[in-house]
């Protein structure tokens, strides 16, 4: 292991590269190439550091799966041990508290907003979006405008979450957003109200207990899927009108979610992991995430320095869709995650496959 492996900040990229060459590999986890423009980001990393073998674990895993993978592979130096993770905001502090993370501050650290990073460098925000309805408009003729609409009989057997609400941050936040709407904006009540909302949705036969994806939307298995806007926008591009995809940001209960990056405390390849972080937080990768419809964490810094191309800005949704967006605090996310993950089975009882 390089002498740099335990430092919070790298002093020399040359030294990091030299250390990574000795390690020879990097293992990432839960990085789907169609998520947030990650495919381009991964390909550029491979081209930049061809001496590293890139192991990609469980591309469709949720945040909980990533944390469990670190725990399960303590001391394992093989390709099944993740070096880095990309998890929902609430998973960062909890993983730090459990001693699962290694601190590291990227060279662009100062341009990451203070409230979106751990002061000691154990985790830091990477991108964000808002929860929206992705809809197969060939099958759904009347567009729902808000969460309450999804309870109507015309949406029977049509509504799905993107994953298991017991482990998926995206689904946990979806339930919180629904509850924020049905509780009239009361943040402290949102988790319980969200569980009640989904229990009602399931009882009415509108909720389909299948993890929704672009494929299930296109096939008609889940004509309406609740997911991050950037994923829905990317699906719209991928499907190219077959079927036609509509994306609705609900009128109420608009919740923004921040994902964070971190390095495993047990990373077999710590220098390669830091190179990955430097790559992700470069101007180039931040703009690639934006082209993938995610708002990168350094977005305002890039705008302030006039580094965002006009054609990229023009493809983003109207700014007014985001005006009501709530950015839940860590405490609010932690409290809602606790309620939703532990009470989903008893209150809703749907086993999302």
């Amino acid at each position: 292991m390089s002498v740099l492996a335990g430092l919070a900040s790298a002093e020399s990229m040359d030294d990091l590269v030299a250390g990574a060459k000795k390690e020879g590999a990097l293992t990432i986890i839960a990085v789907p190439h169609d998520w947030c423009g990650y495919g381009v980001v991964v390909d550029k990393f491979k081209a930049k550091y061809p001496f590293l073998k890139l192991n990609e674990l469980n591309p469709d895993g949720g945040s909980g799966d990533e944390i469990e993978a670190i725990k399960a592979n303590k001391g394992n130096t093989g390709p099944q041990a993740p070096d880095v993770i990309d998890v929902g905001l609430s998973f960062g502090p909890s993983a730090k508290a459990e001693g699962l993370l290694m601190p590291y501050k990227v060279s662009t650290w100062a341009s990451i907003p203070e409230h979106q990073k751990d002061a000691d460098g154990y985790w830091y925000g990477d991108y964000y979006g808002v929860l929206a309805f992705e809809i197969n408009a060939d099958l759904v003729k009347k567009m729902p405008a808000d969460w309450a609409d999804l309870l109507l009989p015309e949406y029977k057997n049509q509504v799905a979450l993107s994953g298991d609400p017991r482990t998926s941050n995206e689904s946990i936040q979806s339930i919180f957003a629904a509850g924020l709407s049905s509780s009239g904006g009361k943040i402290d009540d949102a988790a319980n109200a969200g569980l009640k909302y989904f229990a009602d949705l399931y009882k009415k036969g509108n909720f389909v207990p299948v993890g929704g994806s672009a494929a299930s939307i296109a096939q008609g298995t889940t004509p309406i899927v609740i997911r991050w806007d950037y994923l829905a926008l990317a699906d719209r591009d991928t499907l190219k009108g077959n079927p036609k995809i509509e994306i609705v940001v609900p009128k109420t209960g608009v919740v923004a979610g921040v994902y964070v990056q971190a390095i495993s405390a047990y990373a077999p390849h710590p220098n390669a992991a830091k190179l990955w972080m430097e790559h992700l937080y470069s101007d180039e990768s931040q703009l690639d995430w934006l082209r993938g419809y995610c708002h990168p964490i350094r977005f305002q810094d890039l705008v302030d320095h006039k580094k965002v191309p006009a054609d990229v800005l023009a493809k983003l949704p109207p700014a007014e869709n985001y005006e009501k967006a709530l950015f839940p605090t860590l405490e609010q996310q932690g409290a809602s995650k606790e309620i939703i993950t532990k009470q989903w089975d008893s209150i809703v009882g749907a086993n999302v496959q």
Side-chain angles (χ1 to χ4, degrees):
M1 182 181 293
S2 162
V3 293
L4 290 173
L7 298 179
S9 300
E11 295 181 356
S12 163
M13 281 293 289
D14 288 342
D15 287 345
L16 270 186
V17 170
K21 279 186 176 178
K22 292 179 181 177
E23 294 165 356
L26 173 71
T27 300
I28 61 178
I29 183 171
V31 178
H33 286 207
D34 58 354
W35 174 295
C36 205
Y38 250 129
V40 173
V41 173
V42 167
D43 288 344
K44 288 185 177 179
F45 182 81
K46 289 179 177 177
K48 193 182 293 183
Y49 303 110
F51 52 84
L52 288 175
K53 174 178 172 52
L54 189 65
N55 305 311
E56 301 187 48
L57 305 176
N58 192 9
D60 297 320
S63 298
D65 298 322
E66 298 178 63
I67 300 299
E68 289 305 314
I70 292 179
K71 292 179 180 177
N73 288 283
K74 293 179 180 178
N76 180 358
T77 59
Q80 292 306 310
D83 290 300
V84 294
I85 56 173
D86 179 346
V87 294
L89 177 63
S90 62
F91 287 84
S94 60
K96 175 189 175 184
E98 292 184 75
L100 300 176
L101 304 181
M102 176 191 301
Y104 181 69
K105 296 181 179 179
V106 291
S107 56
T108 52
W109 182 258
S111 62
I112 301 173
E114 292 296 328
H115 62 288
Q116 304 290 2
K117 61 187 178 186
D118 175 67
D120 298 321
Y122 282 89
W123 54 263
Y124 20 106
D126 46 18
Y127 49 77
Y128 64 90
V130 301
L131 287 159
F133 308 151
E134 181 178 348
I135 302 166
N136 180 332
D138 287 351
L139 297 175
V140 179
K141 299 305 180 186
K142 183 180 179 182
M143 293 298 111
D146 209 350
W147 292 96
D149 295 340
L150 299 181
L151 292 163
L152 297 173
E154 61 207 77
Y155 301 114
K156 193 174 183 64
N157 289 321
Q158 294 198 340
V159 184
L161 291 167
S162 63
D164 188 337
R166 294 163 294 194
T167 58
S168 162
N169 177 67
E170 185 179 18
S171 294
I172 293 168
Q173 294 299 306
S174 298
I175 296 162
F176 177 84
L180 186 68
S181 173
S182 61
S183 68
K186 296 178 181 176
I187 296 173
D188 290 343
D189 296 340
N192 286 310
L195 288 171
K196 181 180 182 306
Y197 172 91
F198 272 89
D200 291 345
L201 202 67
Y202 191 37
K203 185 178 180 181
K204 289 176 182 293
N206 291 16
F207 181 62
V208 184
V210 171
S213 63
S216 67
I217 293 170
Q219 293 162 359
T221 310
T222 62
I224 302 173
V225 174
I226 303 160
R227 62 189 330 198
W228 296 120
D229 59 340
Y230 47 84
L231 299 178
L233 289 159
D235 288 349
R236 185 187 63 185
D237 288 356
T238 299
L239 294 171
K240 299 178 180 178
N242 184 28
K244 181 182 178 183
I245 298 295
E246 293 284 351
I247 296 143
V248 174
V249 176
K251 291 181 177 179
T252 62
V254 182
V255 169
V258 178
Y259 278 75
V260 301
Q261 293 286 336
I263 299 175
S264 166
Y266 305 94
H269 316 104
N271 290 290
K274 292 174 183 178
L275 277 186
W276 172 251
M277 293 302 176
E278 293 290 354
H279 176 66
L280 295 184
Y281 287 84
S282 66
D283 291 354
E284 181 181 28
S285 291
Q286 294 274 299
L287 289 174
D288 283 335
W289 272 341
L290 189 60
R291 290 187 179 92
Y293 298 124
C294 294
H295 278 69
I297 208 71
R298 295 182 53 234
F299 178 73
Q300 195 57 49
D301 177 66
L302 294 170
V303 169
D304 292 346
H305 290 87
K306 303 186 186 308
K307 292 181 176 178
V308 183
D311 64 318
V312 175
L313 283 174
K315 291 184 69 176
L316 298 175
E320 56 265 30
N321 288 7
Y322 299 81
E323 287 179 351
K324 297 179 182 176
L326 170 76
F327 285 78
T329 65
L330 278 171
E331 292 73 20
Q332 289 164 347
Q333 286 203 37
S336 61
K337 175 188 166 190
E338 180 80 5
I339 293 170
I340 290 167
T341 56
K342 290 188 175 178
Q343 298 186 35
W344 171 268
D345 286 338
S346 61
I347 296 179
V348 182
N351 186 26
V352 178
Q353 301 290 320

